Amino acid sequence: MNNDKFALPFYWNDYEDIAMSLYEKFGDDFTETKIYRIRFTELLEWVLELPNFKGTREESNEGHLEQIQSAWVYEWRDNQ
């Protein structure tokens, strides 16, 4: 999906798309416990670097980052 030039852009409230992209990027390097221990400052940078992510730093907030973390855990679980 990330390499597809026709992929749709996604934004802060597209938690599942962000989670899938993070899982594609990091795979099983992060377990459930490790995902929940990621600092929000790090997570923010990783999300901003994702291909097709069009949100801005200013639009982010703690609620978005919490939802992304949870969605990433569910994505990780689904792939185990």
Side-chain angles (χ1 to χ4, degrees):
M1 177 171 97
N2 289 341
N3 295 329
D4 184 359
K5 65 181 179 178
F6 299 109
L8 295 174
F10 50 94
Y11 301 89
W12 285 110
N13 59 344
D14 297 319
Y15 309 124
E16 290 181 13
D17 292 326
I18 295 169
M20 286 190 298
S21 293
L22 289 169
Y23 184 77
E24 287 175 11
K25 181 175 183 174
F26 294 106
D28 291 328
D29 290 347
F30 287 92
T31 61
E32 180 174 345
T33 304
K34 287 182 181 180
I35 293 169
Y36 279 128
R37 296 177 100 186
I38 295 169
R39 290 177 294 175
F40 282 165
T41 52
E42 258 185 309
L43 183 58
L44 172 66
E45 295 303 321
W46 293 345
V47 172
L48 290 171
E49 293 170 359
L50 292 174
N52 300 323
F53 182 75
K54 302 302 180 197
T56 65
R57 181 181 307 277
E58 295 76 27
E59 295 169 331
S60 71
N61 61 48
E62 191 171 317
H64 287 308
L65 296 170
E66 288 172 350
Q67 291 291 329
I68 291 166
Q69 242 179 357
S70 294
W72 188 1
V73 166
Y74 288 124
E75 183 66 25
W76 179 82
R77 286 179 186 168
D78 286 347
N79 285 282
Q80 297 309 302

